């Protein structure tokens, strides 16, 4: 039975993370075809048969994507189910991830709303229903994935962060709110020339992060190191620091990860520093992914 197999997979991937030393595991997004369209399948107003060709991620690739053709509304909550399954596999808190409005907009098409702001607002309100459902289920760590913030920093500052607040509205203070902004996946493993987002985008977004209700921001740092200026700008927000590359089959040594941590600790105090991969590890063979996680743990234990 597929559903039972998926449930076993969720529990297994949580236990794998815990065994590797991860303090805050996720459900591994095991049930998701991808993190964007899986969520969209639980929204009214979108047509997966009506595909629209679009240029995505600031022109890095083209695709035919599903189209919003009517008013957007949340269907029955669904992520709470995956949360309960994942949480049953560990006593450690489980973090759940939700795609943000701008990222959904960049992977779908709009043939209903008059402008991007109205489209984004409708998405944010629907996402808020799911986020509140997760919190009601007991999830205390919720991450909004907005990688396109780094692709379109002007849009993010103009209205993306406002939409983010709509998504997070009404959450209890006990819920840790995290924003993830990676700089893009390559199309194949070990492709160093993949066009990533401009690394300067993080600095353009730092002030908005600081003004927001976010507790933490998750950023890439392994693929390309950030400089002190960014860490100084993130003066009160917890930094979830990418410490291993997610599209490289090379396993970083614990000592080289530790050297980078030592450098960042000159700018960000330990109580505001969390270690993580740059982004998801879905491109990597399982053994490679686990090895990278174990080396992050080994590096962290040196401090």
């Amino acid at each position: 039975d597929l559903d039972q197999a998926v449930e076993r997979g969720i529990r297994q991937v949580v236990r794998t993370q815990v065994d590797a030393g991860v303090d805050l595991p996720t459900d591994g997004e095991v049930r998701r075809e991808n993190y964007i369209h899986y969520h969209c399948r639980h929204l009214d107003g979108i047509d997966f048969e009506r595909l629209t060709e679009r240029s995505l991620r600031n022109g890095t690739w083209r695709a035919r994507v599903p189209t919003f053709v009517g008013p957007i509304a949340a269907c029955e909550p669904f992520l709470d189910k995956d949360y309960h399954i994942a949480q049953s596999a560990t006593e450690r808190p489980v973090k759940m991830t939700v795609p943000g409005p701008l990222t959904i907009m960049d992977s779908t098409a709009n043939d209903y709303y008059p402008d991007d702001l109205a489209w984004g607002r409708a998405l944010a309100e629907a996402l808020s229903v799911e986020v509140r459902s997760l919190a009601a289920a007991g999830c205390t760590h919720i991450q909004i994935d907005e990688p396109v913030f780094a692709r379109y920093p002007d849009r993010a500052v103009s209205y993306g962060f406002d939409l983010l607040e709509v998504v997070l509205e009404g959450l209890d203070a006990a819920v840790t709110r995290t924003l993830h902004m990676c700089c893009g996946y390559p199309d194949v493993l070990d492709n160093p020339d993949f066009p990533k987002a401009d690394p300067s985008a993080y600095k353009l977004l730092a002030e908005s992060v600081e003004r927001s209700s976010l507790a933490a921001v998750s950023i890439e740092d392994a693929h390309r190191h950030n400089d002190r200026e960014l860490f100084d700008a993130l003066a009160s927000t917890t930094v979830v620091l990418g410490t291993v590359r997610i599209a490289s089959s090379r396993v970083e040594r614990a000592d080289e990860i530790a050297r980078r941590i030592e450098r960042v600790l000159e700018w960000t105090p330990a109580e505001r520093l969390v270690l993580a991969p740059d982004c998801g590890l879905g491109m990597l063979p399982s053994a490679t992914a686990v090895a990278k996680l174990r080396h992050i743990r080994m590096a962290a234990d040196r401090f």
Side-chain angles (χ1 to χ4, degrees), residues 17-194:
Q17 291 172 78
V18 171
D19 289 346
V22 176
D23 296 306
L24 186 61
T26 77
D27 72 325
E29 302 186 0
V30 173
R31 201 185 299 274
R32 310 185 195 192
E33 63 199 87
N34 65 56
Y35 74 104
I36 299 170
H37 292 153
Y38 174 69
H39 202 109
C40 290
R41 290 190 186 279
H42 296 83
L43 298 176
D44 286 333
I46 190 168
D47 188 342
F48 274 80
E49 300 299 321
R50 182 171 169 183
L51 302 180
T52 302
E53 184 168 342
R54 288 196 57 196
S55 173
L56 309 176
R57 300 299 189 269
N58 215 11
T60 58
W61 57 290
R62 298 188 66 84
R64 300 177 70 227
V65 297
T67 305
F68 284 98
V69 295
I72 297 169
C75 301
E76 286 295 314
F78 61 101
L79 285 178
D80 56 341
K81 176 182 178 182
D82 287 346
Y83 166 71
H84 282 305
I85 295 167
Q87 191 61 75
S88 72
T90 180
E91 294 182 355
R92 300 179 185 183
V94 170
K95 179 171 72 173
M96 296 296 289
T97 59
V98 178
L102 259 64
T103 293
I104 292 178
M105 292 165 69
D106 198 51
S107 293
T108 57
N110 168 39
D111 197 22
Y112 179 79
Y113 289 92
D115 53 50
D116 282 353
L117 191 56
W119 183 20
R121 176 81 188 195
L123 280 169
E125 291 173 352
L127 291 168
S128 178
V129 173
E130 196 63 41
V131 165
R132 292 197 303 271
S133 172
L134 272 175
C139 184
T140 56
H141 292 266
I142 298 176
Q143 176 174 294
I144 309 301
D145 290 335
E146 281 284 26
V148 300
F149 273 23
R151 295 284 184 185
Y152 314 115
D154 290 345
R155 296 183 207 174
V157 171
S158 177
Y159 58 88
F161 280 93
D162 290 339
L163 295 179
L164 195 64
E165 295 297 343
V166 174
V167 174
L168 299 171
E169 188 175 0
L171 283 187
D172 188 271
V175 177
T176 299
R177 309 167 179 212
T178 301
L179 168 66
H180 172 66
M181 303 185 295
C182 74
C183 294
Y185 266 77
D187 52 352
V188 295
L189 195 61
D190 294 320
N191 176 13
D193 297 323
F194 178 75

Side-chain angles (χ1 to χ4, degrees), residues 209-212 214-216 231-239 272:
V209 170
E210 283 285 290
R211 289 202 310 263
S212 74
L214 296 163
F231 295 98
D232 285 346
L234 297 171
S236 62
T237 306
T238 292
V239 175
R272 284 199 297 107

Side-chain angles (χ1 to χ4, degrees), residues 221-222 224-228 231 241-243 255-265 267 303:
D221 191 74
R224 295 175 304 197
H225 290 340
N226 298 286
D227 60 26
R228 178 173 185 165
F231 295 98
L241 186 75
T243 55
D255 64 312
E256 64 181 288
I257 297 172
R259 284 197 298 273
R260 179 57 182 164
I261 297 169
E262 188 173 29
R263 181 65 170 156
V264 174
L265 285 172
W267 312 319
F303 296 90

